[in-house]
Amino acid sequence: MTPTLQLFLIVSATLFSIGLLAVLSRRHAIFILIGIEMMLAAANLNFIAFWRFSPHPQSPTGVMVAIFSIAIAAAEAAVGLALVIAVYRHYRTTNVDQLDQLKG
Amino acid sequence: MNSIAFVAIAILTLAAALAAATLQKLMHAALSFAMTFVGVAAFFFLLGAEFVGLVQVFVYVGAVAVLIVFTILLTRRDVEDTGRPNWGGAIIAIAVFGGLLWAILKTQTLAIAAPPIEPLTVKRVGDVLMTDYVWPLQCVGLLLTAALIGALILVMEEKR
């Protein structure tokens, strides 16, 4: 028995949910970024799986979207971590619960 | 496609992801994060997208994981994520997972096996990148330059 598309989608849904769990339950800003990266990786896995199981895998559209998505995720990670360092310099904390200066 | 390889990679990836999401020590969680991305790259290899798998290893395990470790070391004051667990977040994540699982299992057209394909070579990826996808490629280059400059400006010393 070979794995079907459903199994790949279930794995990627699980990875997405774990990323969401990290984003919602962590208080450290770096780990919120890690959760976002995991959710993006789950989306990439879906792109590749749908490309591989599509009736026309000759045209590598899914692969191209995944490559661009990885590049954009890398840019996002660089800017996000720079923001974390800037925030840490200013407030001496990376705990997102303590960053409530804009709260009314 | 080998189902034993699939199960092994799935267990590795999801266990590492769960560890990255729940471990208290930040450095351990960062290393689990790198492990997760090795697992995702292995999935890409299993699916026949070798080039994307290699890019995933280079970009995530090589660059992003090192960036995260450096950021943890530069913001060393709180290296442990203390505080009580946020049960609301866990409930929302489980609810989203349940919804996705329900939708996937209910769609019968997804239970298909992979069609046989000829392997996607790097030469073909390069050809397509330089012909059909040349404008997206230029845009990504511009975006990466802008992100590089933006990240540098963000972490520059503030003038007092």
Side-chain angles (χ1 to χ4, degrees), chain B residues 3 9 21 23 27-29 32 52 59 63 69-70 100 112 118 122 144 148 154:
Chain B
S3 54
I9 298 169
L23 281 181
M27 200 55 90
H28 297 175
S32 312
V52 188
V59 171
V69 169
F70 264 97
L100 286 173
I112 50 173
E118 54 202 83
V122 179
L144 284 174
L148 180 70
L154 275 175

Side-chain angles (χ1 to χ4, degrees), chain B residues 15 17 38 41 46 69 82 117:
Chain B
V38 171
L46 192 68
V69 169
T82 49
I117 53 164

